[in-house]
């Protein structure tokens, strides 16, 4: 299934994207079907994720029998990020594609190589924004705004010290993020990742979360970016240095991952700062980040 969040008069509500492109409001459809499942009636996608396999199975039955008049046209739906207010920071992975490491080393004229274990950092919840939202850039703070398309994993079953063998059992679904980054701020603060990746609304997400059963192989998905229609990034998740089970096992060592946690898995080569000369984002630029089988983010950069 494909689920996301739209803005209603009552606030954000969880919906299922149907095959015809319309949306089915989960709570409305659950009430109409006489369901008593609290996760489905709660109205939010976080509750559905926390409901686990049982809630998801009930939801599939409801979708199969829902009346057409309950659905919402895509033209009338304002999409939010699927999880618009995550409970925790978005977990992110750096240096997970060899060609991206190589282009960074060339651009910075530095000796940068793959690490023996994953490199993790986070983006605060205030970075999360919608798949078609304008993304504010702050020219008084940074003149080196860049893009990074990434496949993101949504945790469904909480756990700590998760084994690689069991890691995919903890995955609820997959979505797309753009890890918008202020490269000069990142360098100015000692090269650490957080500050340069923590600007407000610098993590567009969506347009949907695709449940894990609907993605045959998360390690064979095309990931790509265009800027104003110009191709920039074009990679495949098969090129990841650390696969998803490895990332989950490593991240969960001594650290509990909860249902609804978001883990972005890294970006392929083609970022703006590594071009010759560098190409950074400016006011009015339209960035499209896409992951095969999930969909595309389309965000316009706006001076703030």
């Amino acid at each position: 299934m494909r689920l996301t969040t739209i803005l209603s008069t009552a606030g954000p509500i969880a919906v299922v994207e149907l095959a015809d492109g319309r949306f089915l409001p989960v709570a409305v459809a659950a009430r109409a079907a006489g369901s008593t499942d609290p996760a489905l009636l709660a109205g939010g996608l976080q509750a559905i994720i926390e409901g686990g396999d049982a809630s998801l199975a009930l939801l599939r039955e409801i979708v199969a029998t829902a009346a057409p008049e309950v659905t919402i046209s895509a033209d009338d739906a304002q999409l939010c990020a699927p999880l618009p207010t995550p409970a925790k920071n978005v977990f992110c992975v750096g240096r997970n594609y060899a060609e991206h490491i190589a282009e960074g080393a060339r651009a910075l004229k530095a000796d940068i190589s793959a690490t023996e274990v994953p490199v993790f950092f986070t983006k605060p919840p205030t970075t999360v924004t919608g798949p078609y939202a304008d993304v504010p850039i702050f020219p008084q703070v940074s003149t080196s705004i860049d893009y990074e398309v990434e496949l993101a994993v949504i945790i469904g079953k909480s756990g700590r010290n998760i084994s690689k063998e069991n890691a995919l059992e903890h995955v609820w679904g997959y979505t797309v993020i753009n890890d918008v980054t202020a490269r000069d701020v990142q360098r100015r603060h000692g090269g650490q990742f957080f500050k340069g990746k923590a600007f407000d609304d610098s993590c567009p997400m969506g347009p949907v979360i695709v449940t894990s059963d609907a993605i045959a192989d998360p390690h064979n998905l095309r990931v790509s970016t265009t800027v104003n229609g110009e191709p920039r990034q074009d990679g495949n998740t098969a090129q990841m240095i650390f696969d998803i089970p490895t990332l989950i096992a490593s991240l969960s060592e001594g650290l509990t991952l909860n249902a609804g946690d978001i883990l972005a898995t890294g970006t392929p080569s083609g970022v703006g700062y590594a071009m010759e000369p560098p190409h950074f984002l400016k006011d009015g630029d339209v960035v499209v980040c896409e992951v095969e089988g999930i969909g595309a983010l389309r965000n316009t950069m706006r001076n703030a």
Side-chain angles (χ1 to χ4, degrees):
M1 280 194 299
R2 300 167 62 86
L3 296 95
T4 191
T5 298
I6 67 171
L7 191 61
S8 74
T9 54
I13 60 170
V15 295
V16 177
E17 184 184 57
L18 303 175
D20 61 1
R22 296 178 68 84
F23 294 101
L24 179 71
V26 172
V28 173
R31 283 193 294 269
S35 174
T36 59
D37 184 277
L40 301 184
L41 295 173
L45 188 48
Q46 176 66 32
I48 298 172
I49 296 171
E50 291 175 356
D53 293 341
S55 293
L56 208 52
L58 285 172
L59 181 55
R60 289 193 179 94
E61 294 177 5
I62 290 169
V63 170
T65 59
E69 57 267 23
V70 179
T71 64
I72 298 171
S73 166
D75 294 336
D76 298 326
Q78 180 180 342
L79 266 68
C80 309
L83 293 168
T85 54
K88 288 156 55 176
N89 285 18
V90 178
F91 296 108
C92 301
V93 179
R95 302 176 185 171
N96 202 24
Y97 286 75
E99 290 187 5
H100 179 51
I101 295 173
E103 70 176 357
R106 289 193 300 270
L108 298 174
K109 297 179 174 59
D111 183 13
I112 303 173
S113 58
T115 54
E116 293 184 4
V117 294
V119 174
F120 294 112
F121 61 94
T122 68
K123 295 173 77 79
T126 47
T127 62
V128 174
T129 192
Y132 311 127
D134 288 351
V135 171
I137 55 178
F138 304 88
Q140 73 278 19
V141 181
S142 172
T143 57
S144 304
I145 301 295
D146 211 347
Y147 50 83
E148 292 187 1
V149 62
E150 308 200 14
L151 171 70
V153 174
I154 308 300
I155 298 298
K157 185 170 72 171
S158 297
R160 182 178 62 207
N161 298 329
I162 300 167
S163 69
K164 287 178 61 175
E165 292 73 22
N166 297 329
L168 292 181
E169 297 174 9
H170 291 258
V171 175
W172 193 83
Y174 302 92
T175 192
V176 187
I177 75 158
N178 180 1
D179 177 16
V180 178
T181 302
R183 302 293 184 191
D184 47 358
V185 174
Q186 183 177 334
R187 309 288 175 240
R188 191 158 67 230
H189 287 265
Q192 54 82 33
F193 293 108
F194 181 79
K195 177 59 181 174
K197 293 173 176 284
F199 285 8
D200 289 349
D201 299 332
S202 65
C203 188
M205 181 185 301
V208 298
I209 298 173
V210 178
T211 53
S212 59
D213 62 295
I215 298 290
D217 184 1
H219 300 104
N220 186 24
L221 300 174
R222 185 185 181 194
V223 287
S224 60
T225 301
T226 65
V227 178
N228 302 326
E230 176 190 351
R232 294 286 182 88
Q233 294 183 281
D234 191 358
N236 192 289
T237 56
Q239 300 165 331
M240 289 194 295
I241 296 169
F242 301 106
D243 63 13
I244 292 166
T246 301
L247 295 175
I248 291 174
S250 180
L251 182 60
S252 70
E253 290 177 345
L255 186 160
T256 299
L257 299 182
N258 297 113
D261 281 352
I262 303 158
L263 170 60
T265 58
T267 198
S269 61
V271 295
Y273 87 88
M275 299 177 69
E276 296 182 0
H279 284 58
F280 294 114
L281 299 174
K282 61 185 184 302
D283 182 59
D285 283 347
V286 178
V287 181
V288 178
C289 292
E290 185 170 3
V291 175
E292 179 184 0
I294 301 174
L297 311 171
R298 184 181 181 89
N299 302 99
T300 302
M301 306 295 117
R302 295 297 185 195
N303 285 343

